[in-house]
Amino acid sequence: MDHNFWLDRWQKQEIGFHNLSVQPALQKFWPRLGLAPDAAVLVPLAGKSLDMAWLTEQGHTVVGVELSERAVDEFFAEHGVTPDVRTVGDYIVKSSGRITLWCGDFFKLNASELPRIGALYDRAALVAMPPIMQSGYAAKLGELLPAGTPGLLIGLDYNTKEMNGPPFAISQSRVQELLAANFTIECLEARDGLTKSVHLAKRGVTRLEEASYLLKRRA
Ligand SMILES: C[S@@+](CC[C@H](N)C(=O)[O-])C[C@H]1O[C@@H](n2cnc3c(N)ncnc32)[C@H](O)[C@@H]1O
């Protein structure tokens, strides 16, 4: 999945993945992470997700990473704020209040450039990667997150004969295969996700499992 694919999606506003409400699984399971309210949350492949605003409402600072500058600009514009802008290496970094969005390639992030990360939130990031990129993404998470850091990951699974990704199907066993080396993993819930995913139903998916995982970076 090259960068142009995503930049083009944002350019054409083909952003069916973007939800107009906060993820129910985030609201339901976030307390399970047991975080201090001011912990910094890393949101890879952030888009302009409203989940980031919800996290700040809980008291967190948010460090989002997003390839598309348009997505980043839309996020701030839709929240009625003008961000401060700076450049850090290859990234344009835009921030306002408790939210900082790093505009650039998640895979090039350097842990030493980031504030201390206290938690991970992954919705539609791992599943945005084709299988060949998934292990690199899992390794990058291991690199960026300090030992003991908890995270919430929301995965999607469906019959891959019915649709080509993205989103790519990630079964519970695939989550284990990708992440177990660096994380303990607890599946908190696996539920039907099709009812609220009309755009995936339109693409031919007849069964969609949305699973929420509590992760913890191993020492
Ligand atoms: C499926 S969307 C999910 C967005 C967001 N997490 C949400 O829930 O709405 C994936 C996002 O990742 C971004 N992206 C893809 N590859 C990336 C990369 N290598 N580094 C940073 N962002 C990337 C895309 O531009 C897109 O906005």
Side-chain angles (χ1 to χ4, degrees), residues 5 82 102 134 157 172 181 188:
F5 171 86
T82 304
W102 289 62
Q134 291 164 359
D157 193 24
Q172 294 188 32
L188 300 171

Side-chain angles (χ1 to χ4, degrees), residues 30 53 64 77 108 114 140 142 197 213:
W30 194 251
K108 292 194 177 154
L114 298 176
K140 193 71 191 174
S197 296
Y213 302 90

Side-chain angles (χ1 to χ4, degrees), residues 1-3 5-10 15-19 23 43-52 64-69 71-72 91 102-108 121-129 133 137 166-167:
M1 207 99 285
D2 69 7
H3 292 181
F5 171 86
W6 290 108
L7 297 176
D8 199 46
R9 292 283 293 263
W10 280 100
I15 52 170
F17 52 80
H18 177 68
N19 282 340
Q23 278 292 307
V43 182
L45 283 70
K48 58 171 183 175
S49 170
L50 299 183
D51 298 349
M52 295 192 283
V65 189
E66 169 54 49
L67 201 54
S68 162
E69 190 170 5
V72 168
Y91 297 87
W102 289 62
C103 184
D105 185 357
F106 174 72
F107 287 96
K108 292 194 177 154
Y121 176 59
D122 176 328
R123 184 263 162 185
L126 177 58
V127 301
M129 313 266 169
M133 292 176 72
Y137 175 76

Side-chain angles (χ1 to χ4, degrees), residues 29-182:
F29 293 122
W30 194 251
R32 293 286 298 271
L33 274 66
L35 292 171
D38 62 352
V41 183
L42 178 66
V43 182
L45 283 70
K48 58 171 183 175
S49 170
L50 299 183
D51 298 349
M52 295 192 283
W54 184 85
L55 286 165
T56 64
E57 285 160 18
Q58 312 315 302
H60 298 299
T61 53
V62 165
V63 180
V65 189
E66 169 54 49
L67 201 54
S68 162
E69 190 170 5
R70 177 167 178 162
V72 168
D73 289 344
E74 285 183 14
F75 177 86
F76 288 115
E78 287 170 15
H79 289 83
V81 291
T82 304
D84 295 328
V85 182
R86 65 196 161 104
T87 303
V88 180
D90 291 340
Y91 297 87
I92 300 170
V93 181
K94 302 196 180 191
S95 55
S96 174
R98 294 201 188 102
I99 298 203
T100 302
L101 298 182
W102 289 62
C103 184
D105 185 357
F106 174 72
F107 287 96
K108 292 194 177 154
L109 262 190
N110 190 331
S112 66
E113 292 168 334
L114 298 176
R116 187 179 170 83
I117 298 297
L120 165 74
Y121 176 59
D122 176 328
R123 184 263 162 185
L126 177 58
V127 301
M129 313 266 169
I132 197 169
M133 292 176 72
Q134 291 164 359
S135 53
Y137 175 76
K140 193 71 191 174
L141 291 182
E143 184 190 315
L144 295 176
L145 300 175
T149 305
L152 181 66
L153 169 83
I154 301 175
L156 294 175
D157 193 24
Y158 58 85
N159 181 346
T160 52
K161 291 190 180 125
E162 293 181 338
M163 182 180 80
N164 293 320
F168 294 92
I170 304 274
S171 64
Q172 294 188 32
S173 59
R174 179 71 173 150
V175 168
Q176 291 288 340
E177 185 185 321
L178 287 166
L179 293 166
N182 282 333

